[in-house]
Amino acid sequence: MQATMLALISKFGYLALAALVFLENVFPPIPSEVILPAAGFLASVGTMTLPGAIVAATVGSLVGAYALFGVGRVLSEERLRRLLASKPLHALGFREDDVQTAVGWFRNHGAITVLACRCVPIVRSLISIPAGTSGMRLGKFSLYTVLGSLVWNAVLCSVGYFAGSAWSQASASASGAIDAATLVVIAAAVVAAGAWVVVRIVPSIKAAVRSEGER
């Protein structure tokens, strides 16, 4: 994955970085711990600037958080638990307990968890869902998300920036295993999306067509 991230960000710059961080927020199994140091490393060799990398990553974080915030607005907690208990999402690395943890933290500590949890793996993404379910104001959610994400992104980008080639050499040994895991995640995502379309969308279309024909 390290080589893939470096190649994508090298070629497409800040746009690729923002898109990768967006995906990391929507699919937590994709690790920001790989994406952000890679961006920092590229900043250290002049491909981009460190402040620019941090801003692009924060934009990606905010857009990804909005996506899950929207999910929280339309799904009840019970429906969300059932969804995450499904086999396709289990294959993507999601667990029902992850949502329960995020919901529990939000209930116990309120909106401030949107800020505090941005540095907690998995929960930093899922905390957006109970925020949406609770009806948290979008402006407040946006502010807390930007502040928390800015800290997380700045720390990890700076690690890659100041470590330079040492980071690249240290992480290279794990790249093969991570690449394999990434392929599994992508394949599972494609299968899950296809299954969702077949199970949910196709019957709805057929019912709509049948209803139209009966009129």
Side-chain angles (χ1 to χ4, degrees):
M1 181 182 288
Q2 174 197 345
T4 303
M5 298 300 175
L6 288 171
L8 285 172
I9 299 171
S10 294
K11 185 172 183 178
F12 300 105
Y14 300 114
L15 180 61
L17 176 57
L20 288 170
V21 174
F22 164 79
L23 289 175
E24 180 268 331
N25 274 263
V26 176
F27 296 105
I30 299 176
S32 62
E33 291 85 347
V34 173
I35 300 169
L36 297 177
F41 168 72
L42 290 174
S44 74
V45 298
T47 303
M48 58 178 60
T49 67
L50 181 60
I54 294 170
V55 170
T58 302
V59 169
S61 298
L62 181 61
V63 176
Y66 281 154
L68 294 183
F69 184 82
V71 169
R73 282 288 173 91
V74 299
L75 287 182
S76 67
E77 184 180 328
E78 182 58 33
R79 289 179 64 189
L80 187 60
R81 284 200 180 107
R82 289 201 303 268
L83 183 64
L84 289 187
S86 64
K87 289 183 179 179
L89 290 185
H90 266 222
L92 290 176
F94 290 99
R95 296 291 180 270
E96 185 179 357
D97 290 345
D98 294 334
V99 171
Q100 291 175 338
T101 299
V103 170
W105 285 13
F106 192 88
R107 284 177 175 169
N108 291 334
H109 304 290
I112 195 65
T113 53
V114 173
L115 171 61
C117 289
R118 288 296 159 190
C119 298
V120 181
I122 302 296
V123 176
R124 66 171 169 262
S125 297
L126 295 180
I127 198 65
S128 301
I129 296 174
T133 303
S134 72
M136 183 178 179
R137 287 187 292 110
L138 185 60
K140 191 174 185 179
F141 174 79
S142 301
L143 176 63
Y144 284 177
T145 297
V146 168
L147 291 177
S149 299
L150 192 62
V151 171
W152 177 255
N153 296 335
V155 168
L156 290 187
C157 285
S158 297
V159 167
Y161 183 86
F162 291 108
S165 60
W167 165 81
S168 179
Q169 293 166 3
S171 57
S173 60
S175 63
I178 295 174
D179 282 338
T182 302
L183 291 175
V184 171
V185 168
I186 292 173
V190 171
V191 171
W196 186 81
V197 169
V198 171
V199 173
R200 298 296 179 89
I201 301 299
V202 173
S204 298
I205 294 175
K206 288 182 178 179
V209 171
R210 191 182 305 114
S211 176
E212 189 67 27
E214 292 172 353
R215 290 180 180 178

